[in-house]
Amino acid sequence: MPVIEVNKLNKWYGDFHVLKDINQTVEKGEVLVICGPSGSGKSTFIRCVNRLEEYQKGEVLFNGQDIQAKSVNVNQLRADIGIVFQQFNLYPHLTVLKNITLAPLKVKKTPRNQAEENGLALLERVGIHDQAHKYPAELSGGQQQRVAIARALAMRPQVMLFDEPTSALDPEMINEVLNVMKDLAREGMTMLCVTHEMGFAREVADRVIFMDSGIIVEEAPPDVFFNNPKHDRTKAFLKEIL
Amino acid sequence: MHWDIVWQNFDYFLWGAFPQGPLGGLAASILLAALGIFGAFWLGLAAGLMRLSKRIWVQIPSIVYIEIIRGVPLLMLIFWFYFLAPVILGRRLPEFECALVALIVFTGAYIGEIVRAGVQSLPRGQMEAARGTGLSHAQAMTHIILPQALRNMIPSFVNQFVSLTKDTSLAYIIGVNELTKAATTVNNRTVVAPTEIFITIALLYFVVCYVLTSASRRMEKHLSRYQARGR
């Protein structure tokens, strides 16, 4: 059974049709890269998967279960699907470690010492265990984004969503974040990444999706996508960003 | 000048006839202000959070409350509770309680608006990040939104609390034995020293309000320490 199945997903903002009949199937361990011009609906699409955005038509299945079903606990759903944002969105009033342990403590009721142990291990994994007791404002952008990844991983999610995780970073910090994401991909995490980092896509993506005006225009494994795109719009887009 | 009259009655200005009689003077004003601030904070917090609710039937009572109160003078409110309480409750409320309830209800409406604005001014990403990790709306409010928003609100809160402290003098109108009442009583009895007496109580009000503002400034600094350390 696929981890995520999206069938004929449609969303409107008022009269504006953002997502038009999106279909996707994501298997366990797959890495999907979604690219496209701004306003194409790619962020909206992945934010529908953990219901940060509600949609009006179609369905999203998580492990076969319709996520809009009444029986679904939305907080449980979000605990199982981690998300990393463009603007990091760390909690500025909490230390790095507390940023990470808050959800495990409050949602999963993990005992404090265990949550902190996990938190420190995650910080080690993203390479910043020495910053555990600092506040987010004391870290660089790249470090903050790695904390945000650790915060999402602390809930031991089955799927990770990345919403343009490197777009707000200075160029010299992009790689430290991408490397963490590559490690995650190689460890078998199921990932949906909205990103324009084509090097990342080439290296770890199983499929690349190109979206434009709310439609999935093209979808292919990375080598085909980059070397032999079918649609003119994809070609034009790739020419712009490569 | 008759500063001796002020001096002779200074303890009466500070705490009224206490401990032989009831607590009055500045002590009663401070008590009224402190209880008023406490009540107005919680009432305002509730009103502000209700105002932010997505559910219309939760919003409406809060909107009605805030809009009505903001359109009514405080003095009118004090009269309402004083004259209407017997009609509604069938018995008179003590003056102190009347004034206290009026102050709480009045200030709570303004606090409610401050809370709403403070919560709305936080970046949306904070709520999204909290909800995105599985926290419920209430948990996100308690642990992420309110700790940040309330700190940002401190200057506005202090404005309201200082206003409330000064507004306790209006309780004089229904006969609450606080600082303004004490001053009037002494003035009526001694007649010759109104200037000295009212300068003195003005200073007393000023000292209380000044202590309040400087304490809050210190608290704000303490709570903002995570920003001060920023790169």
Side-chain angles (χ1 to χ4, degrees):
Chain A
M1 182 172 47
V3 183
I4 289 167
E5 200 180 327
V6 180
N7 296 321
K8 291 202 171 264
L9 179 68
N10 278 275
K11 178 176 171 65
W12 288 263
Y13 285 122
D15 286 339
F16 180 53
H17 201 169
V18 208
L19 297 176
K20 299 166 187 162
D21 282 334
I22 303 289
N23 293 299
Q24 259 319 305
T25 307
V26 185
E27 300 290 340
K28 189 171 180 336
E30 255 194 311
V31 176
L32 229 66
V33 163
I34 303 152
C35 57
S38 60
S40 59
K42 51 198 192 308
S43 289
T44 310
F45 167 47
I46 65 161
R47 289 159 58 95
C48 281
V49 172
N50 70 348
R51 285 183 59 184
L52 272 185
E53 299 281 352
E54 299 293 341
Y55 47 89
Q56 287 85 12
K57 241 177 81 186
E59 57 175 11
V60 177
L61 306 180
F62 177 59
N63 292 328
Q65 164 78 265
D66 179 0
I67 64 168
Q68 276 191 340
K70 281 244 152 45
S71 59
V72 169
N73 176 344
V74 68
N75 298 328
Q76 185 54 52
L77 175 79
R78 289 177 182 150
D80 289 336
I81 304 179
I83 184 163
V84 173
F85 303 90
Q86 180 176 354
Q87 300 296 342
F88 331 137
N89 296 345
L90 294 180
Y91 314 131
H93 62 304
L94 301 178
T95 62
V96 164
L97 186 58
K98 284 186 173 155
N99 262 274
I100 296 173
T101 55
L102 181 70
L105 287 173
K106 300 298 168 187
V107 181
K108 289 197 163 170
K109 315 286 181 206
T110 312
R112 180 170 295 276
N113 55 359
Q114 199 186 324
E116 285 180 354
E117 209 171 290
N118 290 341
L120 289 170
L122 282 167
L123 283 174
E124 178 101 56
R125 188 163 154 195
V126 299
I128 36 177
H129 55 286
D130 49 338
Q131 317 277 1
H133 300 288
K134 289 190 177 169
Y135 286 93
E138 298 172 88
L139 306 188
S140 71
Q143 291 172 324
Q144 290 192 45
Q145 193 60 300
R146 286 184 280 157
V147 173
I149 295 174
R151 175 175 68 181
L153 291 176
M155 295 301 280
R156 304 190 187 284
Q158 301 174 40
V159 178
M160 284 285 283
L161 309 175
F162 290 87
D163 188 0
E164 305 208 29
T166 56
S167 301
L169 293 175
D170 292 334
E172 77 271 18
M173 294 172 181
I174 290 178
N175 275 327
E176 58 189 69
V177 171
L178 288 180
N179 287 337
V180 171
M181 290 170 64
K182 286 175 194 166
D183 288 345
L184 261 183
R186 292 192 189 104
E187 287 160 24
M189 176 62 79
T190 311
M191 294 163 63
L192 278 70
C193 314
V194 172
T195 180
H196 291 155
E197 293 300 331
M198 292 303 135
F200 171 80
R202 262 185 232 267
E203 209 173 317
V204 295
D206 293 297
R207 271 183 295 146
V208 183
I209 291 172
F210 173 67
M211 281 181 77
D212 193 14
S213 338
I215 298 168
I216 294 182
V217 175
E218 181 140 3
E219 177 185 343
D223 52 331
V224 179
F225 185 88
F226 291 112
N227 301 327
N228 205 0
K230 280 198 278 299
H231 293 82
D232 290 340
R233 269 192 285 177
T234 319
K235 286 175 193 160
F237 178 75
L238 285 175
K239 219 168 140 189
E240 285 287 319
I241 64 163
L242 286 181
Chain B
M1 293 304 253
H2 300 279
W3 289 104
D4 54 317
I5 291 179
V6 169
W7 188 240
Q8 280 155 21
N9 291 287
F10 202 67
D11 58 334
Y12 188 72
F13 290 151
L14 288 183
W15 43 73
F18 195 76
Q20 289 83 23
L23 191 69
L26 184 65
S29 292
I30 291 174
L31 184 66
L32 190 57
L35 293 173
I37 287 170
F38 181 81
F41 175 78
W42 291 107
L43 179 65
L45 188 60
L49 292 178
M50 283 170 71
R51 183 87 169 70
L52 286 163
S53 167
K54 283 196 194 88
R55 296 188 191 91
I56 191 85
W57 63 89
V58 179
Q59 257 188 49
I60 284 178
S62 157
I63 294 174
V64 170
Y65 159 63
I66 291 173
E67 290 307 321
I68 288 184
I69 296 303
R70 290 207 300 180
V72 176
L74 174 56
L75 197 55
M76 212 58 65
L77 216 56
I78 294 175
F79 280 146
W80 275 7
F81 285 108
Y82 189 62
F83 293 115
L84 288 184
V87 179
I88 296 164
L89 299 174
R91 64 185 169 84
R92 279 179 63 144
L93 271 183
E95 293 84 3
F96 186 89
E97 276 84 337
C98 274
L100 179 61
V101 172
L103 284 168
I104 289 174
V105 169
F106 183 78
T107 309
Y110 291 90
I111 299 283
E113 280 298 278
I114 294 171
V115 168
R116 180 176 71 96
V119 168
Q120 281 177 338
S121 69
L122 277 194
R124 237 184 62 185
Q126 289 292 307
M127 184 51 112
E128 285 185 348
R131 298 304 309 271
T133 54
L135 293 173
S136 68
H137 183 83
Q139 286 173 326
M141 269 290 171
T142 327
H143 299 288
I144 302 304
I145 304 299
L146 287 179
Q148 295 180 62
L150 289 173
R151 175 186 48 76
N152 296 342
M153 293 174 211
I154 290 174
S156 315
F157 281 156
V158 172
N159 270 338
Q160 284 305 316
F161 293 159
V162 169
S163 288
L164 184 147
T165 305
K166 294 187 291 185
D167 286 346
T168 57
S169 61
L170 288 172
Y172 146 78
I173 211 86
I174 53 170
V176 177
N177 207 357
E178 43 67 71
L179 182 55
T180 306
K181 176 82 183 312
T184 328
T185 309
V186 172
N187 186 42
N188 289 346
R189 201 177 61 223
T190 57
V191 184
V192 292
T195 317
E196 294 84 340
I197 289 171
F198 284 101
I199 285 175
T200 307
I201 67 155
L203 280 173
L204 289 174
Y205 276 119
F206 174 79
V207 167
V208 171
C209 292
Y210 186 78
V211 167
L212 193 57
T213 30
S214 39
S216 76
R217 212 171 295 135
R218 213 163 305 144
M219 180 170 148
E220 199 182 337
K221 222 179 207 167
H222 175 72
L223 292 175
S224 310
R225 64 197 181 282
Y226 61 83
Q227 285 180 323
R229 271 201 256 166
R231 46 176 50 231

